[in-house]
Amino acid sequence: MRVIVAGGGYAGLATLIALRRSLPEVEIHLIDPREHHIKLTHLHQTLKRPLSDFCIPFAVLAKKYGFTHHRLALPISADNLESWEWNRTIPLPKGELAFEYLVIATGAKPHLAPGGKQVYQRDDFCRREGQEIIQNFLARTENKERHITVVGAGATGLQFLFELDDLLKSHSIDRQLRLIQRGGRILSKLPVGFHDYIAGRLKSAGIEHLPYTRYRGQHGGSIKLENTRTGESFTLPSDLTLLFPGVDPQPQLLRADRYGRVIVGHYPLPRIFTAGDCSNFDCSGLNSLTAQAAVRKGKQVAANIKRLQQGRLPYIYSYDELGYFVSLGPLDGIGWMLFKYNIITGLPAFAIKEAIEMQYDWFVDGVDLYF
Ligand SMILES: Cc1cc2nc3c(=O)[nH]c(=O)nc-3n(C[C@H](O)[C@H](O)[C@H](O)COP(=O)(O)OP(=O)(O)OC[C@H]3O[C@@H](n4cnc5c(N)ncnc54)[C@H](O)[C@@H]3O)c2cc1C
C-alpha cells in the first residue's frame, strides 16, 4: 500500500509516524516544499536561539521513519482533489505517483496584511534567524528612541511580545513596546481571566496596550493605524513591527466528514483524508487551529487508514481538548486544564507548557505519550 502525505507539519508528521508504527509495510511519500519540519510552537524562541534548534531536516526523519520526501507544493483545489481521487494518482515533475490514500495536511497561512521594510511576519521567522532580525533592528536604531509594535493579541503575538520584552530587558536595552489588537479582549475566545492576567502583566512590564486598533500598514518608521470603533486614522512611530494578525487554512479550508475524509460538493472522497489547521471535521471533536488538534487529527487519520485497509469501519474523531497553555516569557505563562475556568498562571503554567512541548519532542523521537 502507498500513502502520500502532503504537508510535513504537526498533522502530517503525526500521520506519517503513526502509520509507520501501525503498518510497517506501507510505502510512504511526503510532499512538502520545505527542507525541514519546523516546530512552529517554538518559533518565538528563535528571538534568542537559532532556528535550527527547532527544525528537523526531512532527510533525517525520512531515514528514521522510512519515507520519500518530494520537495514541492501540491496544487490543491476542489477540482484537483476530485481528479486525484478518480485517477488515484497525483502529478509530480517526474511523472504520476499512484496512491491508495492521500492525506492533505498543509496547515495555515498568515492573514494577508501590508508589509514593509521593518515589518516581519510568521514566515520571515521560518526563513531567517530571529536573532539576526533583532540585531539589525538594534544596529539601525542605535542612539535613538526605539519603538516596537506587535500586532495581534493571539497566542503567537503574545508569545513573541513577552519573549522580546525579556530579551531586551536582559540586555538593558531601552525600548517602547506596544501591543495592538482589533478587538478589546486579549485571547478573546478564552475566559476573561486570561485577559485580566495578561493585561496585568503588560502593565507591570511597561508595555503599552492599544485595543480596538487596526493595523493599516507601515511607511518608513511609522505605522498607520485606525480606531476600529470611531474609524479615526492615526500614525505612531514603529522601528520594528511584528505582524501576527491570525491565520487562515492553507490553501483553503477543507471540510471533512467525521472520519477525516475530504468532502467535495456533498460527498466525502473515499481515498483522500485531511488533518491539521487546513481541516474542519464534521463532528464534535476539537477543530481548533492548534498543534494539539493537528497531532490528534493526524493520528486519527492514520488509524482510520489502517482500519479501512483491514476492511473495518473507521473511527469517529472525538478528541476533546484537555487544556491550552501559552508562555509569557521565561518562567511565566497562562492556561487552563480539564475545564476552561480552571486557570493556571505563572511558573506552574510555564512548566505545563514546557511538558506539552516535550510530549511532542518525544513523539517525533519515537515515544508516543499522547492519549
Ligand atoms: C509562534 C507560534 C506559537 C504557537 N503556539 C502554539 C501553542 O502553544 N499550542 C498549540 O497547540 N499551537 C500553537 N501554535 C499553532 C500550531 O503551530 C499550529 O496549529 C500547527 O503548526 C498546525 O499544524 P499543521 O500540521 O496543520 O500545519 P503546519 O505545522 O503549519 O505544517 C504545514 C506544512 O505543510 C506544508 N505545506 C504547505 N502548503 C503545502 C502544499 N501545497 N503542498 C505540500 N506541503 C505544503 C508546509 O511547508 C508545512 O511544512 C503556534 C503557532 C505559532 C506560529
Side-chain angles (χ1 to χ4, degrees):
M1 175 166 76
R2 183 184 289 151
V3 177
I4 303 175
V5 178
Y10 289 73
L13 218 54
T15 307
L16 204 146
I17 293 173
L19 265 181
R20 172 57 65 229
R21 206 169 283 138
S22 61
L23 289 171
E25 302 302 313
V26 70
E27 181 184 322
I28 306 175
H29 290 255
L30 171 68
I31 315 276
D32 196 304
R34 287 185 178 146
E35 216 174 314
H36 304 95
H37 167 67
I38 302 181
K39 293 180 182 171
L40 278 181
T41 57
H42 287 277
L43 203 59
H44 52 285
Q45 290 171 280
T46 62
L47 293 173
K48 292 185 191 157
R49 289 170 55 184
L51 180 59
S52 58
D53 281 7
F54 310 109
C55 291
I56 312 176
F58 284 129
V60 171
L61 291 166
K63 224 174 188 180
K64 185 171 172 74
Y65 292 108
F67 63 84
T68 307
H69 175 216
H70 305 262
R71 206 172 160 202
L72 56 105
L74 205 57
I76 295 151
S77 66
D79 284 350
N80 282 348
L81 289 169
E82 270 185 315
S83 126
W84 296 339
E85 168 75 39
W86 183 256
N87 299 315
R88 284 229 222 131
T89 60
I90 56 161
L92 291 184
K94 284 186 190 155
E96 308 240 285
L97 185 65
F99 62 81
E100 259 75 54
Y101 293 99
L102 170 66
V103 182
I104 310 288
T106 45
K109 58 177 182 307
H111 289 322
L112 266 184
K117 239 181 160 182
Q118 286 131 28
V119 180
Y120 296 91
Q121 313 199 28
R122 185 194 77 175
D123 289 353
D124 293 310
F125 289 93
C126 292
R127 281 188 291 259
R128 290 182 59 181
E129 291 294 338
Q131 290 169 307
E132 179 199 308
I133 291 173
I134 300 302
Q135 287 306 329
N136 287 349
F137 154 71
L138 292 175
R140 225 174 351 97
T141 52
E142 217 174 352
N143 304 323
K144 67 178 274 222
E145 208 175 35
R146 295 181 167 115
H147 295 268
I148 306 170
T149 308
V150 174
V151 178
T156 306
L158 291 171
Q159 295 187 120
F160 265 93
L161 177 72
F162 282 101
E163 202 69 20
L164 185 56
D165 179 51
D166 178 71
L167 173 73
L168 298 176
K169 276 192 180 137
S170 64
H171 289 86
S172 309
I173 295 167
D174 270 349
R175 88 294 176 264
Q176 304 291 323
L177 200 50
R178 80 169 72 87
L179 172 68
I180 72 161
Q181 67 172 126
R182 276 196 306 181
R185 211 165 106 183
I186 299 166
L187 294 177
S188 58
K189 289 185 185 139
L190 292 166
V192 71
F194 281 76
H195 169 92
D196 294 345
Y197 182 79
I198 296 167
R201 287 280 291 101
L202 291 174
K203 207 168 172 195
S204 61
I207 299 170
E208 184 187 8
H209 178 211
L210 293 183
Y212 302 110
T213 304
R214 179 178 287 127
Y215 166 82
R216 284 294 189 196
Q218 168 114 11
H219 189 69
S222 324
I223 39 169
K224 288 192 264 176
L225 301 169
E226 182 189 294
N227 184 309
T228 55
R229 290 195 289 194
T230 63
E232 179 203 350
S233 297
F234 58 105
T235 58
L236 287 174
S238 185
D239 307 296
L240 176 69
T241 301
L242 304 185
L243 212 52
F244 304 112
V247 292
D248 290 316
Q250 160 165 268
Q252 63 190 77
L253 180 67
L254 295 177
R255 282 189 310 125
D257 68 6
R258 55 198 181 152
Y259 308 114
R261 292 181 299 206
V262 174
I263 297 174
V264 173
H266 295 293
Y267 302 102
L269 304 176
R271 300 267 169 183
I272 304 187
F273 284 82
T274 182
D277 281 2
C278 64
S279 67
N280 192 79
F281 288 24
D282 187 14
C283 58
S284 61
L286 180 69
N287 267 311
S288 63
L289 274 60
T290 61
Q292 292 299 310
V295 170
R296 267 42 180 244
K297 283 179 173 174
K299 286 188 65 182
Q300 173 90 32
V301 163
N304 283 345
I305 289 175
K306 180 180 175 185
R307 287 180 72 83
L308 289 169
Q309 190 61 14
Q310 293 171 337
R312 296 156 78 195
L313 284 174
Y315 291 124
I316 296 172
Y317 172 68
S318 61
Y319 174 70
D320 208 2
E321 197 170 22
L322 298 173
Y324 182 75
F325 284 83
V326 292
S327 67
L328 302 172
L331 308 183
D332 195 6
I334 185 164
W336 64 267
M337 201 147 85
L338 301 179
F339 55 96
K340 280 198 174 156
Y341 289 89
N342 180 29
I343 299 176
I344 298 168
T345 59
L347 188 58
F350 177 79
I352 295 171
K353 165 91 167 117
E354 288 291 293
I356 293 169
E357 297 298 350
M358 236 183 270
Q359 186 185 30
Y360 183 69
D361 292 343
W362 279 331
F363 178 71
V364 176
D365 283 347
V367 183
D368 186 357
L369 297 176
Y370 286 102
F371 47 86

